[in-house]
Amino acid sequence: MLTDARVYAYSAVLMGSPILLKLFDDNQTLAGQVFRLIKQQENLFTVNRAASEVMAINHAAGQHPVVVSQPVFDLIACAHAVSLLPDSLFNLAIGPLVKCWKIGFQGHRVPSETELQARMALTNPHDVILDDASRSVMLARPGMEIDLGAIAKGYIADVVQAFLRQQQVSSALINLGGNVQTVGAPPEEAGWAIGLKKPFGEADELIGVIGVNNRSVVTSGIYERYFELDGVCYHHILDPRSGYPLDNDLLSVTVISDRSLDGDIYTTLLYGLGVEQGIACLAEQPGIEAIFVTRDRQVICSSQRHFSFQLLDTDYRLVH
Ligand code: ADP
Ligand code: MG
Ligand code: MG
C-alpha cells in the first residue's frame, strides 16, 4: 500500500499474519477494539491451537456431532457448499493433508505416497455432516479435520468492516495478511491504491497498483507460504485430488469483490479453474472480478467494473 501522510497505521501479528489497520484519526482505542475483535474471531475458527469451536468438531471426528455457535455453523455451511460445487478445488475437509505437509510451519516435509493416499481418504466433504436444526457438525470418520484457513481471514475482514461502519468510520482499511477490506475511500480521494505484489519478490516490490473504493481485495499466491526441496517449490494451496500442491501456470490470483469472504472463496476456486475457465466462470458473477498472474509474467484482468489497475513492472505484460 502506498504511503499517505494523513494515515494513522496500527499493526499487530494475529492469525500468524501481519495485520494492518489504517485510519484517518489517531484513535488507539478503536484500533485496540479492532484487534480484540480479530482475536475473538480467530479463537472460534483456528485449527492451529488445541481449543476452538472448530477444533472441538475435529476432536470429536468419528465419534459424535458437536453443537457450535451460529457464526461458526454458518461459515462451515458456506465452506461445505463451496466444497461440493462441481470441479471445486476448495475443500473444507483438507485438514489431514494440510497437517501432514505442514507447509508454512516448522517440520514441513514431502509425505510418502502411502501417507498421502491414507490422508486423502479422510478429506471427502460428503463426510462432513451438518444438521441445521441442532446447529451441529459431525465428521463421519476418525482422523478427519475441518480447516477454514482459506476463508477465515476473509470472513473476519468483513466482520471488521461491519464493526468500523457501525462505529461511524467513513474511511478505513484493514489488511489481514493478504486480505484487504476497505470502508469508503481515503478522504477527498476516488479510491484506495493497493499494491499487487511481485511473486517471490521483496515485500515492497509491486507488479502494479489496484484502485478500489469500498471493496475487498484478496490475493492468494503460491509465493505466500512454501518451501523448496531439490529444486521443487511446494506451496500451501493443496489439490485435494492429487494430495500435492496444485500444479498449474498461476503465481497468484487476486479477487476484487464486495465481501472479503467471497474474495477468499474465489481466489481458491479460480486457482483450481485456471485463467480460461476462471474468466468464463466470472462472466456469470458480475460482482466478482479477478487479476491472474501467470508464470510467464502475464497479468490477466477479468471485467473491470469495480477496480482500476495500473501496471508498474514492465517485465510483466497486461492482457485484458
Ligand atoms: P493465506 O492467505 O493464509 O495464505 P489462503 O487464503 O491463500 O491463505 O488459503 C491457503 C490456506 O487454505 C492453507 O494454508 C490451508 O490452510 C488451506 N487450504 C489449502 N488448500 C486448500 C484447499 N484445496 N481447499 C481449502 N483450503 C485449503
Ligand atoms: Mg491468502
Ligand atoms: Mg483464501
Side-chain angles (χ1 to χ4, degrees):
M1 260 145 286
L2 309 181
T3 45
D4 179 335
R6 301 166 302 167
V7 167
Y8 292 85
Y10 303 88
S11 54
V13 175
L14 295 165
M15 305 186 286
S17 307
I19 311 290
L20 178 72
L21 171 68
K22 286 186 173 188
L23 300 173
F24 289 85
D25 288 311
D26 185 5
N27 195 338
Q28 187 71 52
T29 312
L30 184 66
Q33 286 172 322
V34 167
F35 292 141
R36 268 195 301 283
L37 180 61
I38 295 171
K39 190 124 203 77
Q40 251 171 31
Q41 295 290 318
E42 179 190 14
N43 289 343
L44 299 175
F45 299 111
T46 185
V47 290
N48 297 320
R49 278 191 243 124
S52 70
E53 288 201 28
V54 175
M55 281 309 284
I57 300 169
N58 293 346
H59 286 313
Q63 297 170 47
H64 56 81
V66 173
V67 176
V68 291
S69 61
Q70 194 69 53
V72 172
F73 186 84
D74 291 346
L75 190 59
I76 290 176
C78 164
H80 188 238
V82 175
S83 304
L84 297 180
L85 292 173
D87 301 322
S88 177
L89 176 76
F90 189 98
N91 182 343
L92 87 162
I94 196 93
L97 281 173
V98 173
K99 288 283 162 73
C100 136
W101 282 91
K102 294 200 178 76
I103 296 168
F105 293 89
Q106 259 186 353
H108 57 237
R109 67 207 176 90
V110 181
S112 72
E113 198 56 47
T114 331
E115 215 179 336
L116 287 178
Q117 291 302 327
R119 297 287 179 126
M120 279 161 69
L122 298 173
T123 60
N124 187 343
H126 289 281
D127 290 336
V128 178
I129 300 147
L130 299 177
D131 181 48
D132 268 313
S134 62
R135 229 173 51 215
S136 69
V137 184
M138 161 96 193
L139 303 179
R141 297 157 180 267
M144 285 184 68
E145 287 180 59
I146 289 179
D147 180 334
L148 300 177
I151 56 167
K153 287 197 286 193
Y155 171 81
I156 296 172
D158 293 336
V159 170
V160 170
Q161 185 200 45
F163 171 75
L164 290 169
R165 283 184 176 153
Q166 193 199 329
Q167 300 296 312
Q168 320 294 333
V169 173
S170 51
S171 302
L173 178 150
I174 182 88
N175 184 354
L176 304 180
N179 274 73
V180 174
Q181 180 56 289
T182 61
V183 177
E188 288 132 46
E189 278 176 47
W192 299 92
I194 295 164
L196 175 62
K197 271 195 197 164
K198 177 174 168 178
F200 302 105
E202 299 296 324
D204 58 352
E205 282 186 286
L206 303 178
I207 294 181
V209 178
I210 303 165
V212 289
N213 181 340
N214 235 341
R215 292 243 131 192
S216 156
V217 179
V218 178
T219 298
S220 195
I222 63 168
Y223 57 88
E224 283 179 69
R225 296 174 200 245
Y226 67 96
F227 69 93
E228 270 173 319
L229 189 72
D230 301 329
V232 182
C233 168
Y234 297 95
H235 63 81
H236 74 322
I237 301 162
L238 300 175
D239 185 343
R241 297 158 294 200
S242 68
Y244 281 84
L246 180 71
D247 187 15
N248 66 12
D249 63 352
L250 289 171
L251 291 180
S252 73
V253 177
T254 298
V255 172
I256 297 98
S257 55
D258 186 18
R259 293 194 313 168
S260 203
L261 174 58
D262 290 326
D264 238 352
I265 291 171
Y266 273 91
T267 46
T268 306
L269 287 180
L270 294 172
Y271 240 109
L273 292 175
V275 177
E276 212 166 301
Q277 272 194 58
I279 299 261
C281 160
L282 292 180
E284 284 157 34
Q285 304 287 338
I288 316 276
E289 301 183 304
I291 304 172
F292 300 83
V293 178
T294 64
R295 286 184 200 274
D296 60 1
R297 296 209 203 89
Q298 291 190 46
V299 180
I300 302 149
C301 295
S302 69
S303 67
Q304 244 177 284
R305 286 182 208 93
H306 301 286
F307 73 98
S308 61
F309 182 72
Q310 184 198 356
L311 188 74
L312 296 178
D313 186 336
T314 49
D315 281 347
Y316 287 78
R317 200 158 57 82
L318 188 57
V319 182
H320 285 280

